[in-house]
mmCIF file of all heavy atoms in Angstrom:
data_model
loop_
_atom_site.group_PDB
_atom_site.id
_atom_site.type_symbol
_atom_site.label_atom_id
_atom_site.label_comp_id
_atom_site.label_asym_id
_atom_site.label_seq_id
_atom_site.Cartn_x
_atom_site.Cartn_y
_atom_site.Cartn_z
ATOM 1 N N GLY A 883 197.426 62.750 10.909
ATOM 2 C CA GLY A 883 198.199 63.987 10.953
ATOM 3 C C GLY A 883 198.452 64.690 9.640
ATOM 4 O O GLY A 883 199.190 65.671 9.609
ATOM 5 N N GLY A 884 197.862 64.241 8.543
ATOM 6 C CA GLY A 884 197.998 64.970 7.290
ATOM 7 C C GLY A 884 197.196 66.260 7.331
ATOM 8 O O GLY A 884 196.412 66.489 8.257
ATOM 9 N N ALA A 885 197.392 67.114 6.330
ATOM 10 C CA ALA A 885 196.684 68.394 6.285
ATOM 11 C C ALA A 885 196.180 68.676 4.872
ATOM 12 O O ALA A 885 196.951 68.620 3.919
ATOM 13 C CB ALA A 885 197.606 69.530 6.735
ATOM 14 N N PRO A 886 194.879 68.991 4.745
ATOM 15 C CA PRO A 886 194.368 69.380 3.438
ATOM 16 C C PRO A 886 194.923 70.742 3.052
ATOM 17 O O PRO A 886 195.211 71.569 3.918
ATOM 18 C CB PRO A 886 192.854 69.435 3.648
ATOM 19 C CG PRO A 886 192.662 69.620 5.108
ATOM 20 C CD PRO A 886 193.866 69.029 5.787
ATOM 21 N N VAL A 887 195.087 70.970 1.769
ATOM 22 C CA VAL A 887 195.604 72.267 1.301
ATOM 23 C C VAL A 887 194.505 72.947 0.491
ATOM 24 O O VAL A 887 193.662 73.625 1.055
ATOM 25 C CB VAL A 887 196.918 72.101 0.503
ATOM 26 C CG1 VAL A 887 197.464 73.444 0.060
ATOM 27 C CG2 VAL A 887 197.959 71.366 1.346
ATOM 28 N N GLN A 888 194.480 72.764 -0.808
ATOM 29 C CA GLN A 888 193.490 73.373 -1.685
ATOM 30 C C GLN A 888 193.596 72.705 -3.045
ATOM 31 O O GLN A 888 194.639 72.158 -3.411
ATOM 32 C CB GLN A 888 193.758 74.883 -1.828
ATOM 33 C CG GLN A 888 192.767 75.611 -2.702
ATOM 34 C CD GLN A 888 193.100 77.084 -2.879
ATOM 35 O OE1 GLN A 888 194.110 77.563 -2.404
ATOM 36 N NE2 GLN A 888 192.251 77.787 -3.575
ATOM 37 N N CYS A 889 192.508 72.756 -3.797
ATOM 38 C CA CYS A 889 192.497 72.297 -5.198
ATOM 39 C C CYS A 889 192.923 70.847 -5.354
ATOM 40 O O CYS A 889 193.609 70.497 -6.313
ATOM 41 C CB CYS A 889 193.392 73.173 -6.059
ATOM 42 S SG CYS A 889 193.019 74.909 -6.003
ATOM 43 N N GLY A 890 192.553 69.987 -4.400
ATOM 44 C CA GLY A 890 192.917 68.587 -4.491
ATOM 45 C C GLY A 890 194.283 68.256 -3.934
ATOM 46 O O GLY A 890 194.731 67.121 -4.020
ATOM 47 N N TRP A 891 194.960 69.233 -3.355
ATOM 48 C CA TRP A 891 196.287 69.014 -2.776
ATOM 49 C C TRP A 891 196.164 68.742 -1.290
ATOM 50 O O TRP A 891 195.303 69.293 -0.605
ATOM 51 C CB TRP A 891 197.163 70.254 -2.946
ATOM 52 C CG TRP A 891 197.589 70.520 -4.347
ATOM 53 C CD1 TRP A 891 196.780 70.781 -5.416
ATOM 54 C CD2 TRP A 891 198.920 70.576 -4.839
ATOM 55 N NE1 TRP A 891 197.534 70.990 -6.528
ATOM 56 C CE2 TRP A 891 198.856 70.878 -6.212
ATOM 57 C CE3 TRP A 891 200.162 70.399 -4.254
ATOM 58 C CZ2 TRP A 891 199.978 71.010 -7.004
ATOM 59 C CZ3 TRP A 891 201.285 70.541 -5.035
ATOM 60 C CH2 TRP A 891 201.184 70.834 -6.404
ATOM 61 N N LEU A 892 197.073 67.910 -0.789
ATOM 62 C CA LEU A 892 197.178 67.674 0.639
ATOM 63 C C LEU A 892 198.632 67.358 0.973
ATOM 64 O O LEU A 892 199.429 67.053 0.088
ATOM 65 C CB LEU A 892 196.257 66.521 1.078
ATOM 66 C CG LEU A 892 196.523 65.126 0.503
ATOM 67 C CD1 LEU A 892 197.556 64.358 1.325
ATOM 68 C CD2 LEU A 892 195.235 64.339 0.457
ATOM 69 N N THR A 893 198.937 67.465 2.245
ATOM 70 C CA THR A 893 200.242 67.054 2.755
ATOM 71 C C THR A 893 199.999 65.917 3.734
ATOM 72 O O THR A 893 199.179 66.057 4.648
ATOM 73 C CB THR A 893 200.955 68.228 3.466
ATOM 74 O OG1 THR A 893 201.068 69.305 2.544
ATOM 75 C CG2 THR A 893 202.330 67.828 3.948
ATOM 76 N N ASP A 894 200.669 64.799 3.540
ATOM 77 C CA ASP A 894 200.445 63.661 4.438
ATOM 78 C C ASP A 894 201.221 63.844 5.745
ATOM 79 O O ASP A 894 201.948 64.825 5.930
ATOM 80 C CB ASP A 894 200.756 62.332 3.742
ATOM 81 C CG ASP A 894 202.238 62.080 3.469
ATOM 82 O OD1 ASP A 894 203.105 62.719 4.094
ATOM 83 O OD2 ASP A 894 202.525 61.220 2.625
ATOM 84 N N ARG A 895 201.069 62.901 6.646
ATOM 85 C CA ARG A 895 201.688 63.018 7.983
ATOM 86 C C ARG A 895 203.214 63.031 7.927
ATOM 87 O O ARG A 895 203.864 63.419 8.894
ATOM 88 C CB ARG A 895 201.206 61.889 8.880
ATOM 89 C CG ARG A 895 201.734 60.520 8.501
ATOM 90 C CD ARG A 895 201.165 59.454 9.412
ATOM 91 N NE ARG A 895 201.832 58.186 9.220
ATOM 92 C CZ ARG A 895 201.258 57.027 9.433
ATOM 93 N NH1 ARG A 895 200.006 56.983 9.846
ATOM 94 N NH2 ARG A 895 201.935 55.919 9.252
ATOM 95 N N PHE A 896 203.804 62.602 6.824
ATOM 96 C CA PHE A 896 205.260 62.607 6.676
ATOM 97 C C PHE A 896 205.765 63.897 6.025
ATOM 98 O O PHE A 896 206.965 64.081 5.884
ATOM 99 C CB PHE A 896 205.712 61.396 5.850
ATOM 100 C CG PHE A 896 205.279 60.087 6.456
ATOM 101 C CD1 PHE A 896 204.223 59.376 5.917
ATOM 102 C CD2 PHE A 896 205.915 59.575 7.578
ATOM 103 C CE1 PHE A 896 203.810 58.175 6.472
ATOM 104 C CE2 PHE A 896 205.510 58.379 8.146
ATOM 105 C CZ PHE A 896 204.445 57.677 7.590
ATOM 106 N N GLY A 897 204.831 64.750 5.578
ATOM 107 C CA GLY A 897 205.205 66.005 4.936
ATOM 108 C C GLY A 897 205.252 65.945 3.425
ATOM 109 O O GLY A 897 205.612 66.921 2.776
ATOM 110 N N VAL A 898 204.883 64.798 2.830
ATOM 111 C CA VAL A 898 204.897 64.643 1.379
ATOM 112 C C VAL A 898 203.621 65.251 0.801
ATOM 113 O O VAL A 898 202.525 65.021 1.317
ATOM 114 C CB VAL A 898 205.020 63.155 0.985
ATOM 115 C CG1 VAL A 898 204.923 62.973 -0.529
ATOM 116 C CG2 VAL A 898 206.325 62.578 1.524
ATOM 117 N N SER A 899 203.749 66.018 -0.279
ATOM 118 C CA SER A 899 202.611 66.646 -0.942
ATOM 119 C C SER A 899 202.031 65.719 -2.006
ATOM 120 O O SER A 899 202.773 65.094 -2.768
ATOM 121 C CB SER A 899 203.031 67.955 -1.605
ATOM 122 O OG SER A 899 203.369 68.915 -0.634
ATOM 123 N N TRP A 900 200.708 65.680 -2.053
ATOM 124 C CA TRP A 900 199.966 64.844 -2.994
ATOM 125 C C TRP A 900 198.888 65.671 -3.663
ATOM 126 O O TRP A 900 198.339 66.586 -3.047
ATOM 127 C CB TRP A 900 199.279 63.688 -2.262
ATOM 128 C CG TRP A 900 200.203 62.726 -1.602
ATOM 129 C CD1 TRP A 900 200.849 62.880 -0.396
ATOM 130 C CD2 TRP A 900 200.586 61.437 -2.088
ATOM 131 N NE1 TRP A 900 201.605 61.775 -0.120
ATOM 132 C CE2 TRP A 900 201.452 60.870 -1.136
ATOM 133 C CE3 TRP A 900 200.262 60.703 -3.227
ATOM 134 C CZ2 TRP A 900 202.011 59.607 -1.296
ATOM 135 C CZ3 TRP A 900 200.819 59.445 -3.384
ATOM 136 C CH2 TRP A 900 201.683 58.909 -2.422
ATOM 137 N N GLN A 901 198.566 65.317 -4.902
ATOM 138 C CA GLN A 901 197.410 65.862 -5.611
ATOM 139 C C GLN A 901 196.476 64.685 -5.893
ATOM 140 O O GLN A 901 196.890 63.718 -6.528
ATOM 141 C CB GLN A 901 197.812 66.473 -6.942
ATOM 142 C CG GLN A 901 198.788 67.615 -6.847
ATOM 143 C CD GLN A 901 199.215 68.033 -8.241
ATOM 144 O OE1 GLN A 901 198.396 68.380 -9.071
ATOM 145 N NE2 GLN A 901 200.516 67.959 -8.500
ATOM 146 N N ILE A 902 195.252 64.774 -5.425
ATOM 147 C CA ILE A 902 194.270 63.716 -5.641
ATOM 148 C C ILE A 902 193.248 64.276 -6.621
ATOM 149 O O ILE A 902 192.432 65.125 -6.258
ATOM 150 C CB ILE A 902 193.599 63.291 -4.316
ATOM 151 C CG1 ILE A 902 194.661 63.013 -3.228
ATOM 152 C CG2 ILE A 902 192.693 62.093 -4.548
ATOM 153 C CD1 ILE A 902 195.687 61.950 -3.598
ATOM 154 N N VAL A 903 193.327 63.827 -7.874
ATOM 155 C CA VAL A 903 192.566 64.468 -8.954
ATOM 156 C C VAL A 903 191.749 63.463 -9.761
ATOM 157 O O VAL A 903 192.132 62.302 -9.899
ATOM 158 C CB VAL A 903 193.509 65.248 -9.904
ATOM 159 C CG1 VAL A 903 194.220 66.369 -9.179
ATOM 160 C CG2 VAL A 903 194.525 64.318 -10.533
ATOM 161 N N PRO A 904 190.631 63.928 -10.329
ATOM 162 C CA PRO A 904 189.847 63.057 -11.205
ATOM 163 C C PRO A 904 190.637 62.726 -12.474
ATOM 164 O O PRO A 904 191.299 63.593 -13.049
ATOM 165 C CB PRO A 904 188.619 63.897 -11.564
ATOM 166 C CG PRO A 904 188.612 65.055 -10.644
ATOM 167 C CD PRO A 904 190.011 65.237 -10.152
ATOM 168 N N ARG A 905 190.557 61.491 -12.894
ATOM 169 C CA ARG A 905 191.250 61.048 -14.109
ATOM 170 C C ARG A 905 190.824 61.887 -15.313
ATOM 171 O O ARG A 905 191.626 62.188 -16.191
ATOM 172 C CB ARG A 905 190.947 59.574 -14.349
ATOM 173 C CG ARG A 905 191.634 59.003 -15.571
ATOM 174 C CD ARG A 905 191.604 57.498 -15.576
ATOM 175 N NE ARG A 905 192.357 57.002 -14.433
ATOM 176 C CZ ARG A 905 192.102 55.854 -13.821
ATOM 177 N NH1 ARG A 905 191.124 55.076 -14.242
ATOM 178 N NH2 ARG A 905 192.830 55.471 -12.795
ATOM 179 N N MET A 906 189.546 62.301 -15.346
ATOM 180 C CA MET A 906 189.044 63.042 -16.500
ATOM 181 C C MET A 906 189.512 64.497 -16.548
ATOM 182 O O MET A 906 189.300 65.187 -17.521
ATOM 183 C CB MET A 906 187.521 62.953 -16.592
ATOM 184 C CG MET A 906 186.777 63.528 -15.413
ATOM 185 S SD MET A 906 186.747 62.518 -13.902
ATOM 186 C CE MET A 906 185.998 61.001 -14.391
ATOM 187 N N MET A 907 190.189 64.956 -15.503
ATOM 188 C CA MET A 907 190.668 66.342 -15.469
ATOM 189 C C MET A 907 191.584 66.636 -16.662
ATOM 190 O O MET A 907 191.474 67.688 -17.294
ATOM 191 C CB MET A 907 191.398 66.631 -14.158
ATOM 192 C CG MET A 907 191.787 68.077 -13.988
ATOM 193 S SD MET A 907 190.355 69.129 -13.751
ATOM 194 C CE MET A 907 190.416 69.322 -12.004
ATOM 195 N N ASP A 908 192.459 65.714 -16.992
ATOM 196 C CA ASP A 908 193.367 65.906 -18.119
ATOM 197 C C ASP A 908 192.591 66.077 -19.416
ATOM 198 O O ASP A 908 192.889 66.974 -20.220
ATOM 199 C CB ASP A 908 194.343 64.731 -18.219
ATOM 200 C CG ASP A 908 195.327 64.895 -19.355
ATOM 201 O OD1 ASP A 908 196.045 65.917 -19.375
ATOM 202 O OD2 ASP A 908 195.373 64.005 -20.237
ATOM 203 N N GLU A 909 191.588 65.238 -19.625
ATOM 204 C CA GLU A 909 190.777 65.343 -20.849
ATOM 205 C C GLU A 909 190.034 66.670 -20.892
ATOM 206 O O GLU A 909 189.975 67.323 -21.937
ATOM 207 C CB GLU A 909 189.782 64.181 -20.935
ATOM 208 C CG GLU A 909 188.935 64.243 -22.194
ATOM 209 C CD GLU A 909 187.937 63.107 -22.284
ATOM 210 O OE1 GLU A 909 188.129 62.071 -21.628
ATOM 211 O OE2 GLU A 909 186.954 63.275 -23.020
ATOM 212 N N TRP A 910 189.427 67.058 -19.780
ATOM 213 C CA TRP A 910 188.726 68.350 -19.744
ATOM 214 C C TRP A 910 189.669 69.496 -20.098
ATOM 215 O O TRP A 910 189.307 70.388 -20.856
ATOM 216 C CB TRP A 910 188.137 68.599 -18.361
ATOM 217 C CG TRP A 910 186.967 67.736 -17.985
ATOM 218 C CD1 TRP A 910 186.085 67.119 -18.835
ATOM 219 C CD2 TRP A 910 186.556 67.400 -16.666
ATOM 220 N NE1 TRP A 910 185.156 66.427 -18.107
ATOM 221 C CE2 TRP A 910 185.414 66.582 -16.769
ATOM 222 C CE3 TRP A 910 187.035 67.712 -15.405
ATOM 223 C CZ2 TRP A 910 184.741 66.068 -15.666
ATOM 224 C CZ3 TRP A 910 186.382 67.204 -14.301
ATOM 225 C CH2 TRP A 910 185.243 66.392 -14.430
ATOM 226 N N MET A 911 190.873 69.459 -19.552
ATOM 227 C CA MET A 911 191.835 70.538 -19.805
ATOM 228 C C MET A 911 192.290 70.558 -21.268
ATOM 229 O O MET A 911 192.508 71.603 -21.842
ATOM 230 C CB MET A 911 193.047 70.399 -18.878
ATOM 231 C CG MET A 911 192.717 70.519 -17.405
ATOM 232 S SD MET A 911 192.140 72.143 -16.929
ATOM 233 C CE MET A 911 193.667 73.036 -16.980
ATOM 234 N N ARG A 912 192.444 69.381 -21.873
ATOM 235 C CA ARG A 912 192.916 69.295 -23.265
ATOM 236 C C ARG A 912 191.830 69.598 -24.291
ATOM 237 O O ARG A 912 192.111 70.179 -25.329
ATOM 238 C CB ARG A 912 193.477 67.896 -23.555
ATOM 239 C CG ARG A 912 194.849 67.634 -22.995
ATOM 240 C CD ARG A 912 195.418 66.268 -23.411
ATOM 241 N NE ARG A 912 194.634 65.132 -22.913
ATOM 242 C CZ ARG A 912 193.806 64.392 -23.652
ATOM 243 N NH1 ARG A 912 193.644 64.633 -24.924
ATOM 244 N NH2 ARG A 912 193.125 63.393 -23.116
ATOM 245 N N THR A 913 190.590 69.181 -24.005
ATOM 246 C CA THR A 913 189.551 69.258 -25.023
ATOM 247 C C THR A 913 188.550 70.388 -24.813
ATOM 248 O O THR A 913 187.768 70.674 -25.715
ATOM 249 C CB THR A 913 188.770 67.928 -25.112
ATOM 250 O OG1 THR A 913 188.081 67.709 -23.868
ATOM 251 C CG2 THR A 913 189.713 66.763 -25.408
ATOM 252 N N GLY A 914 188.550 70.990 -23.646
ATOM 253 C CA GLY A 914 187.557 72.017 -23.348
ATOM 254 C C GLY A 914 187.821 73.330 -24.076
ATOM 255 O O GLY A 914 188.948 73.641 -24.447
ATOM 256 N N THR A 915 186.747 74.083 -24.255
ATOM 257 C CA THR A 915 186.896 75.438 -24.784
ATOM 258 C C THR A 915 187.518 76.305 -23.695
ATOM 259 O O THR A 915 187.589 75.906 -22.527
ATOM 260 C CB THR A 915 185.521 76.018 -25.166
ATOM 261 O OG1 THR A 915 184.749 76.174 -23.960
ATOM 262 C CG2 THR A 915 184.788 75.134 -26.172
ATOM 263 N N ALA A 916 187.912 77.508 -24.066
ATOM 264 C CA ALA A 916 188.480 78.432 -23.076
ATOM 265 C C ALA A 916 187.481 78.686 -21.951
ATOM 266 O O ALA A 916 187.854 78.727 -20.775
ATOM 267 C CB ALA A 916 188.894 79.737 -23.746
ATOM 268 N N GLY A 917 186.206 78.822 -22.285
ATOM 269 C CA GLY A 917 185.171 79.052 -21.277
ATOM 270 C C GLY A 917 184.993 77.860 -20.356
ATOM 271 O O GLY A 917 184.835 78.023 -19.141
ATOM 272 N N GLN A 918 184.999 76.657 -20.916
ATOM 273 C CA GLN A 918 184.856 75.456 -20.098
ATOM 274 C C GLN A 918 186.027 75.302 -19.136
ATOM 275 O O GLN A 918 185.835 74.997 -17.953
ATOM 276 C CB GLN A 918 184.751 74.217 -20.991
ATOM 277 C CG GLN A 918 183.425 74.102 -21.716
ATOM 278 C CD GLN A 918 183.421 72.953 -22.702
ATOM 279 O OE1 GLN A 918 184.359 72.776 -23.477
ATOM 280 N NE2 GLN A 918 182.346 72.165 -22.674
ATOM 281 N N VAL A 919 187.219 75.521 -19.637
ATOM 282 C CA VAL A 919 188.412 75.392 -18.788
ATOM 283 C C VAL A 919 188.407 76.471 -17.708
ATOM 284 O O VAL A 919 188.740 76.196 -16.548
ATOM 285 C CB VAL A 919 189.701 75.417 -19.634
ATOM 286 C CG1 VAL A 919 190.936 75.503 -18.755
ATOM 287 C CG2 VAL A 919 189.763 74.192 -20.551
#
């Protein structure tokens, strides 16, 4: 009974929101150029 949302977000069957993201996302965001990000 969960529901997918967008951008790695979902809501589980209890209504709790989760983000399921790649571990490397933080590194990409910190080290990437403006174009890469």
Side-chain angles (χ1 to χ4, degrees):
V887 182
Q888 181 183 4
C889 305
W891 290 62
L892 63 86
T893 303
D894 70 19
R895 70 182 190 208
F896 302 104
V898 175
S899 292
W900 297 79
Q901 299 174 57
I902 310 303
V903 298
R905 181 165 297 151
M906 61 283 301
M907 186 69 100
D908 181 57
E909 181 181 339
W910 289 335
M911 297 294 286
R912 283 185 297 104
T913 64
T915 66
Q918 287 174 314
V919 171

